[in-house]
């Protein structure tokens, strides 16, 4: 590849989600037992100004975060004005630093009143969700353009209802399909609602797409790939294709198919054992071209406590992303997961995904070396080695 300059105006940043970093949240996770309680997390709720100073110092011009539904609507139909004010300040803090906010409306946990009624299984979920979206967007429409309605609906449905390892830990394949249907409807309703309130809004979801590789192009592998691509990568996007302005891509996984799934070589893995395979992002991006929408990489990252592999990981993914851009894929932004070390769902606090290390005892922030390498790329708009 010739020396490639990322376009001017390309968005560079990192992502977080409310429950994983804020601390002090009461929702269906925190009430599901000790294992699921994020407690104080990174105390980002009280330290967001300090954290955004770091964001600024790292050269980012965009930042993805989520609003916690249980803070905004602690009781059914009742809005907590103090919490709305909090997020108003969060958004302002980003704007004051010249950082474009990407706001996720739902990054998995739900308010307790909603859990008690049946959670994501409820028929009325689209109504409740679009009512919440209406409130948020009416409040913040002057300062936010990019809205992400749902984070990885298929991961949520899989872990919460198919595997039953996340709250509400109700393993039931029928519920799994029902939840996917409900989330499709929830997104569509929210999309229509947001467009009504804010016609210039840009709306999408954050979709976890996997590179399924048909090993040696064998026919059996190709058939398996076709099916799994259809269900995992494209079904949800197809269902919402007339209700999205951009595609948010969360990319973490490669899955080599060779008469079965996950026949990966695993030559390099993260602390969580996830295979490191930067080329995968190229294939996933090329496959998304069919939707003819701008694409933002809304998450991509690894757990790497010693910061030994992160620099290479980022550079590798940006290299393959650049290749996809050169091949005509309309990629407009990249958000590393995550800005901070944080609460990694049922794994707890041990996985270290952050550009910034957190010492949870004293809540101290320490910028990792790889974050400075990422900064250099942002400044130079190219990968020069
Ligand atoms: C994604 C989630 C995010 C984080 C990363 C590691 O699936 O969206 O919250 O947990 O994985």
């Amino acid at each position: 590849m010739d020396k490639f300059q990322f376009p001017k105006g390309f968005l560079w940043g990192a992502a977080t989600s409310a429950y994983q970093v804020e601390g002090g949240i009461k929702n269906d996770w925190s009430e599901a037992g000790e294992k699921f309680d994020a407690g104080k997390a990174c105390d980002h709720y009280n330290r967001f100004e300090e954290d955004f100073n770091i964001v600024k110092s790292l050269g980012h011009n965009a930042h993805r975060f989520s609003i916690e539904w249980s803070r905004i609507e602690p009781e059914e139909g009742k809005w907590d004005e103090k919490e709305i004010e909090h997020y108003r300040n969060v958004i302002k803090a980003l704007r004051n630093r010249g950082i474009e906010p990407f706001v996720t409306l739902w990054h998995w946990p739900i308010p307790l009143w909603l859990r008690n009624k049946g959670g994501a299984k409820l028929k009325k979920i689209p109504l409740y969700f679009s009512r919440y979206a209406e409130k948020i967007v009416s409040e913040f429409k002057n300062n936010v353009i990019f809205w992400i309605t749902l984070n990885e609906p298929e991961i949520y449905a899989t872990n919460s209802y198919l595997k039953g390892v996340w709250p509400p830990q109700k393993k039931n394949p029928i519920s799994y399909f029902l939840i996917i249907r409900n989330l499709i409807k929830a997104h569509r309703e929210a999309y229509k609602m947001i467009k009504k309130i804010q016609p210039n809004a840009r709306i999408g979801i954050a979709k976890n797409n996997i590179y399924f590789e048909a090993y040696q192009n064998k026919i059996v592998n190709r058939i398996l790939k076709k099916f799994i691509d259809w269900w995992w990568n494209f079904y949800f996007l197809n269902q919402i294709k007339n209700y999205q302005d951009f595609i948010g891509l969360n990319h973490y996984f490669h899955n080599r198919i060779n008469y079965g799934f996950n026949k990966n070589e695993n030559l390099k893995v993260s602390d969580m054992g996830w295979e490191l395979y930067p080329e995968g992002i190229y294939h996933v991006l090329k496959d998304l071209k069919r939707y003819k929408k701008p694409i933002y990489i809304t998450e991509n990252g690894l757990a790497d406590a010693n910061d030994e592999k992160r620099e290479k990981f980022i550079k590798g993914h940006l290299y393959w992303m650049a290749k996809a851009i050169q091949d005509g894929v309309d990629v407009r932004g990249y958000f590393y997961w995550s800005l901070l070390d944080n609460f990694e769902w049922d794994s707890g606090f041990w996985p270290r995904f952050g550009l910034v290390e957190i010492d949870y005892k004293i809540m101290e922030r320490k910028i990792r070396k790889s974050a400075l390498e990422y900064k250099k790329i942002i400044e130079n708009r190219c990968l020069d080695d």
Side-chain angles (χ1 to χ4, degrees):
M1 190 170 64
D2 299 337
K3 195 166 159 118
F4 178 80
Q5 281 271 310
F6 292 102
K8 280 210 176 102
F10 195 86
L11 296 180
W12 297 103
T16 63
S17 88
Y19 191 60
Q20 294 178 275
V21 297
E22 284 184 358
I25 296 176
K26 220 174 152 191
N27 59 27
D28 66 326
W29 273 72
S30 67
E31 301 309 292
E34 214 183 310
K35 180 177 180 186
F36 300 111
D37 186 0
K40 289 200 179 87
C42 311
D43 196 28
H44 177 69
Y45 187 82
N46 298 307
R47 297 170 195 247
F48 66 89
E49 296 272 1
E50 175 194 338
D51 290 338
F52 294 163
N53 285 342
I54 296 175
V55 167
K56 183 78 196 160
S57 82
L58 294 177
H60 300 188
N61 60 4
H63 179 68
R64 177 179 173 223
F65 69 96
S66 79
I67 292 183
E68 172 68 23
W69 190 351
S70 64
R71 286 195 192 275
I72 301 295
E73 193 178 2
E75 286 173 59
E76 182 175 349
K78 292 207 178 119
W79 309 115
D80 187 327
E81 297 300 330
K82 208 182 98 257
E83 297 292 8
I84 291 171
E85 227 19 61
H86 169 80
Y87 288 108
R88 196 187 310 286
N89 292 333
V90 169
I91 293 164
K92 263 197 222 149
L94 290 170
R95 282 275 175 231
N96 288 341
R97 290 163 177 81
I99 297 164
E100 185 72 39
F102 267 61
V103 183
T104 311
L105 292 172
W106 181 70
H107 201 122
W108 299 338
I110 54 175
L112 287 171
W113 62 266
L114 190 53
R115 175 198 73 177
N116 296 342
K117 277 175 172 273
K121 253 170 89 176
L122 267 188
K123 227 180 145 172
K124 280 171 84 180
I125 270 285
L127 188 122
Y128 290 133
F129 182 65
S130 60
R131 188 178 65 183
Y132 158 66
E134 178 185 15
K135 177 68 183 167
I136 295 295
V137 175
S138 321
E139 293 285 345
F140 302 140
K141 61 173 189 269
N142 294 333
N143 272 317
V144 176
I145 294 168
F146 294 98
W147 297 102
I148 293 168
T149 54
L150 311 175
N151 182 68
E152 298 185 348
E154 64 294 311
I155 294 272
Y156 173 77
T158 304
N159 285 329
S160 290
Y161 291 90
L162 198 61
K163 296 187 182 161
V165 291
W166 288 359
Q169 297 172 275
K170 299 233 166 85
K171 196 170 163 170
N172 179 340
I174 297 170
S175 308
Y176 166 73
F177 289 108
L178 195 86
I179 277 44
I180 301 240
R181 286 307 306 166
N182 279 353
L183 292 174
I184 288 166
K185 287 188 198 145
H187 169 81
R188 288 184 188 158
E189 288 307 309
Y191 181 90
K192 287 189 270 179
M193 178 64 83
I194 298 172
K195 280 283 168 174
K196 227 193 287 169
I197 310 168
Q198 188 190 357
N200 74 331
R202 314 309 294 155
I203 308 161
I205 65 167
K207 178 73 186 69
N208 179 304
N209 273 17
I210 296 173
Y211 171 43
F212 294 104
E213 176 195 356
Y215 188 56
Q216 290 177 340
N217 233 1
K218 287 187 186 135
I219 180 105
V220 177
N221 298 342
R222 282 208 327 257
I223 293 167
L224 286 174
K225 171 179 164 62
K226 197 140 191 103
F227 172 73
I228 192 69
D229 260 342
W230 166 75
W231 175 246
W232 186 269
N233 287 337
F234 303 128
Y235 181 77
F236 205 100
L237 289 174
N238 289 340
Q239 293 293 314
I240 63 164
K241 71 169 185 286
N242 298 323
Y243 303 85
Q244 58 179 357
D245 305 312
F246 67 87
I247 293 176
L249 168 67
N250 289 5
H251 179 66
Y252 292 95
F253 302 117
H254 166 223
N255 187 316
R256 181 190 276 181
I257 302 168
N258 191 17
Y259 300 99
F261 293 102
N262 268 317
K263 307 285 183 187
N264 296 15
E265 280 190 298
N266 287 326
L267 293 178
K268 291 198 186 98
V269 296
S270 76
D271 293 351
M272 292 187 85
W274 300 358
E275 190 190 23
L276 308 180
Y277 191 78
E279 185 188 324
I281 203 167
Y282 171 79
H283 301 281
V284 166
L285 285 170
K286 289 227 28 191
D287 278 350
L288 289 174
K289 208 174 156 185
R290 68 183 70 184
Y291 294 103
K292 299 192 172 64
K293 301 275 182 200
I295 299 169
Y296 295 89
I297 292 154
T298 37
E299 284 182 32
N300 173 238
L302 84 167
D304 177 24
N306 297 330
D307 203 35
E308 281 162 353
K309 301 175 179 168
R310 191 170 282 103
E311 176 185 339
K312 217 164 161 220
F313 177 97
I314 293 175
K315 288 186 174 166
H317 282 82
L318 293 181
Y319 171 86
W320 286 103
M321 178 182 88
K323 244 184 152 27
I325 297 175
Q326 285 190 316
D327 286 357
V329 185
D330 186 7
V331 187
R332 301 195 185 173
Y334 176 88
F335 295 83
Y336 176 80
W337 180 273
S338 175
L339 175 67
L340 310 170
D341 287 342
N342 62 55
F343 177 74
E344 177 53 26
W345 309 110
D346 55 331
S347 298
F349 285 101
W350 74 261
R352 300 285 184 152
F353 277 90
L355 292 174
V356 178
E357 183 183 345
I358 304 276
D359 179 337
Y360 292 104
K361 278 197 212 98
I362 50 171
M363 291 296 171
E364 191 185 52
R365 275 76 171 137
K366 229 193 258 157
I367 294 171
R368 291 198 165 101
K369 221 181 116 261
S370 53
L372 300 174
E373 294 299 323
Y374 180 37
K375 178 182 179 174
K376 275 191 216 154
I377 300 167
I378 299 172
E379 282 174 351
N380 302 335
R381 291 196 293 116
C382 72
L383 298 158
D384 47 10
D385 43 345

